[in-house]
Amino acid sequence: MYITCLDLEGVLVPEIWIAFAEETKIPELKRTTRDEPDYDKLMNFRLNILREHKLGLPEIQNVIQKIDPLDGAKEFLDSLREKCQVIILSDTFEQFASPLMKKLGQPTIFCNSLCVSKTGEITGYKMRCEKSKLATVKALQSVGFETIASGDSYNDLAMIQASKAGFLFRTTEKIKADYPNLCAFEKYDELLNAIVKVIE
């Protein structure tokens, strides 16, 4: 049995931190896992900026409420879920993802959680497990599943490479150049067709 593991931001929904950066006019917050491979370094950088500007979870959630899935994402996900089981593996946080899952038809998501004070300040974050995307793919494989994986960032590469089939989707030119052996797609129908070929 196949399970497809998909990244969330940049694949199914816009990058949350970029949307928040544009809303707050803080360009430093546009830095994502496409730019920075070290997730801890990236998150500590973000949290320091939030503290500096006295911004917290409520302000971010207000922006998330305005975010819609990328054009065609819901239809792609619906079609894919008719073919196989799908799990979204994301380094985002449950406090960010919840409203977006409603807009995507409540797919299964494995993500992380934020530590938030009573005043709404984000004081830290808790990763579900170390190297969560790769660990999840390996765990699924250990109980008899074949995995297919797709994502757009550095933190997706391990799960893509560990899967029976893996695809880059709407990634950067640098990642494509650094990993020329990985198929890269820009359109949902291309990605769907590639996954279906593996399954069938």
Side-chain angles (χ1 to χ4, degrees):
M1 183 185 236
Y2 284 94
I3 291 185
T4 297
C5 300
L6 296 175
D7 180 34
L8 178 65
E9 294 178 68
V11 174
L12 299 171
V13 303
E15 292 280 354
I16 292 167
W17 287 99
I18 290 178
F20 187 62
E22 289 171 350
E23 183 86 10
T24 57
K25 297 184 171 47
I26 304 171
E28 296 91 339
L29 288 174
K30 288 187 177 182
R31 192 165 179 78
T32 72
T33 50
R34 287 173 162 219
D35 312 299
E36 176 53 69
D38 186 328
Y39 191 73
D40 285 326
K41 183 178 176 183
L42 177 63
M43 273 306 299
N44 286 316
F45 172 76
R46 289 166 168 167
L47 294 184
N48 286 334
I49 291 173
L50 292 179
R51 286 188 204 102
E52 187 183 318
H53 291 269
K54 295 184 170 51
L55 296 167
L57 181 60
E59 290 82 8
I60 298 173
Q61 287 179 324
N62 286 341
V63 173
I64 291 171
Q65 291 294 341
K66 303 174 192 174
I67 295 175
D68 288 319
L70 293 168
D71 191 30
K74 169 82 165 48
E75 294 76 10
F76 160 73
L77 199 52
D78 289 345
S79 297
L80 182 57
R81 290 167 79 186
E82 288 177 6
K83 299 290 184 183
C84 67
Q85 297 295 312
V86 178
I87 298 175
I88 297 172
L89 301 183
S90 176
D91 279 340
T92 193
F93 306 97
E94 55 189 345
Q95 295 94 332
F96 289 5
S98 183
L100 296 168
M101 292 306 99
K102 290 177 186 173
K103 294 179 180 182
L104 286 169
Q106 295 293 7
T108 299
I109 182 168
F110 294 173
C111 60
N112 305 307
S113 58
L114 291 167
C115 304
V116 184
S117 73
K118 289 180 181 178
T119 60
E121 180 190 353
I122 300 172
T123 57
Y125 58 96
K126 186 177 179 186
M127 302 299 281
R128 186 170 50 81
C129 62
E130 191 177 345
K131 297 180 181 175
S132 61
K133 296 185 183 191
L134 176 61
T136 302
V137 160
K138 286 189 170 179
L140 291 168
Q141 292 166 350
S142 76
V143 291
F145 292 101
E146 293 277 15
T147 61
I148 301 167
S150 183
D152 69 328
S153 298
Y154 284 104
N155 63 343
D156 300 312
L157 292 168
M159 74 167 179
I160 289 171
Q161 292 172 317
S163 292
K164 178 163 186 180
F167 309 104
L168 294 168
F169 187 70
R170 295 183 180 173
T171 190
T172 64
E173 292 303 318
K174 180 168 186 351
I175 292 176
K176 281 193 270 191
D178 288 347
Y179 296 87
N181 58 313
L182 296 177
C183 291
F185 301 113
E186 298 295 322
K187 297 180 180 176
Y188 288 117
D189 58 349
E190 295 172 338
L191 180 57
L192 181 63
N193 289 339
I195 293 170
V196 169
K197 276 184 187 175
V198 177
I199 295 167
E200 296 178 347

